[in-house]
Amino acid sequence: MRKILFVVCVLLLTSTYAQTRRYSNEFLNIGVDAAALGMANTVVATTDDVNAGYWNPAGLIHIEDNQVAFMHAAYFANIANYDYLAYAMPLDEKSALGLSLIRFGVDDILDTTALVDADGNIDFTRVNLFSAADYAFTISYARKLPIEGLSYGANAKVIRRIIGDFASSWGFGFDLSLQYKTPKWQFGIMARDITTTFNAWSIEEFAIGDLNGDGIPDEDQIPQLRDQELPETTEITLPKVQLGVARNFDLGSDFGLRTGLDMHVRFAETNDIISTSTLSITPSVGFQLAYTKLVYLRGGFGNFQNITQFDGSDSLGFQPNVGIGFQYKGIHIDYALTDIGDQSAAIYSNVFSVKIDWRLFR
């Protein structure tokens, strides 16, 4: 049993690295704000509130007062929790500042590496709990440009990833963005990790070689340790670009419609419907129907992927999303149902978010 536990622990650490070589810091790609998720993340051209710090920091320039937002979502049958908190404020007529914190974590994981002692005795009091959690703290800045309707934004990100006492890392990265708005049309571009985001891991020796927890690798009990090397300790996140265009339609005095199309570009080969050895692209489309700027109905389709079936054939998969929202005197409450239906490989999730305008308290 000790050998099995050792192998599982090593595979966990090494597979984490193998997955993040291409899909690094993926928790930052989930998205924030139930309103955006309900539209399949098709918001890079239209975002104009506190949540713009994530989607396109250039959109922060449109906030008129301080705003705060928070969101909670549970994934994988409530095994993982995803939380988001953000604050934004205008600095002057031409610039704005935003702060945000994201946590994606799995808590109360059983650590059974010390369950069996050196004599082969099972002792359940030696079982501990640990968490595997990812954190991202972002500072966002936006400023108007001399061209009417054009603004730019930038993010500075600090990333902290922790796997109990086994491993941890620090990462740093930058984003740049542009947004151009007219009364009818909006355009946006968000370039994430423009300099590549670098994560440096610190992996404890006992995580792969000390099942007794005494600080001494158990080489006599597990001969495989003599040839075991620590996993790679550096991780690079490649740049990604999101391009968006949106159009507003007036449907009478009470109704308004916004439609959007975004293209999500990765500089790596993936299962996206457009994929080469150096570039992958997948689209997303979304809409928002507003009634008197009080009630909102949203929907969208995204994450179009080529999925290989068990028989070796390929099929097209996509992720549908729906959502609703309410706004009253500076309080915005939004809900989204994502990953619905059988077209997605993921389990659906219920997402709630709240946004509050500071003018409510003035």
Side-chain angles (χ1 to χ4, degrees), residues 228-258:
Q228 180 64 44
E229 295 182 359
L230 286 171
E232 294 287 342
T233 57
T234 58
E235 180 181 320
I236 300 296
T237 303
L238 296 176
K240 295 176 287 292
V241 176
Q242 185 173 347
L243 306 164
V245 57
R247 175 75 156 84
N248 292 329
F249 298 89
D250 292 326
L251 305 180
S253 59
D254 292 333
F255 290 92
L257 177 65
R258 173 184 292 170

Side-chain angles (χ1 to χ4, degrees), residues 147-161:
I147 300 175
E148 181 67 24
L150 183 63
S151 60
Y152 74 88
N155 286 338
K157 301 180 292 189
V158 179
I159 299 167
R160 177 66 168 164
R161 305 181 66 188

